[in-house]
Amino acid sequence: VQLQASGGGLAQPGGSLRLSCTASGSILSINAMGWYRQAPGKQRELVATITSDGNRNIADSVKGRFTISRDNAQNTVSLQMTSLKPEDTAVYFCYLNGRAAWYMAAMPYWGAGTQVTVSS
């Protein structure tokens, strides 16, 4: 399973950015896709995830500002980030929980990470 993310970059406080991530390779089934982030000196934390049937888990720190969506047919997950704050600055990692083959259990897969910087 490979996860390719796009988007991110630099935004001013109050601005918006959009992240997208597409899964490819050997994928039997996907339970959930989403995003985690890691700021310098901090642990990786959940941002938002969405299951194949549309259930969302969104961190309190981004509720009302970030929206997660998913295209099951394209194996793509997107994160629309609005009202960005400096504390949103982090490396954002695309996440997938799923099975690569029938003989494999579901497991997490991670993208390489994309930098989001919020600064004036």
Side-chain angles (χ1 to χ4, degrees):
V1 177
Q2 293 83 45
L3 298 174
Q4 181 65 50
S6 61
L10 176 65
Q12 293 188 339
S16 300
L17 287 172
R18 183 178 181 87
L19 303 179
S20 292
C21 177
T22 299
S24 62
S26 176
I27 303 171
L28 179 65
S29 62
I30 299 174
N31 297 326
M33 296 185 72
W35 299 88
Y36 282 69
R37 68 186 181 186
Q38 187 167 18
K42 294 188 176 182
Q43 290 187 333
R44 190 173 298 188
E45 63 177 7
L46 168 76
V47 178
T49 59
I50 182 169
T51 65
S52 57
D53 55 1
N55 290 323
R56 293 169 170 83
N57 185 18
I58 302 174
D60 288 342
S61 60
V62 305
K63 276 183 180 176
R65 301 189 297 120
F66 291 11
T67 302
I68 188 168
S69 60
R70 179 173 165 179
D71 184 334
N72 291 333
Q74 300 295 325
N75 289 338
T76 298
V77 63
S78 297
L79 185 70
Q80 180 66 47
M81 303 183 290
T82 63
S83 301
L84 284 163
K85 304 176 180 179
E87 51 263 42
D88 294 319
T89 296
V91 176
Y92 284 68
F93 295 91
C94 181
Y95 162 83
L96 180 152
N97 183 283
R99 296 177 67 189
W102 65 268
Y103 53 85
M104 297 178 66
M107 60 184 291
Y109 296 88
W110 297 95
T114 184
Q115 179 70 45
V116 170
T117 301
V118 184
S119 175
S120 55

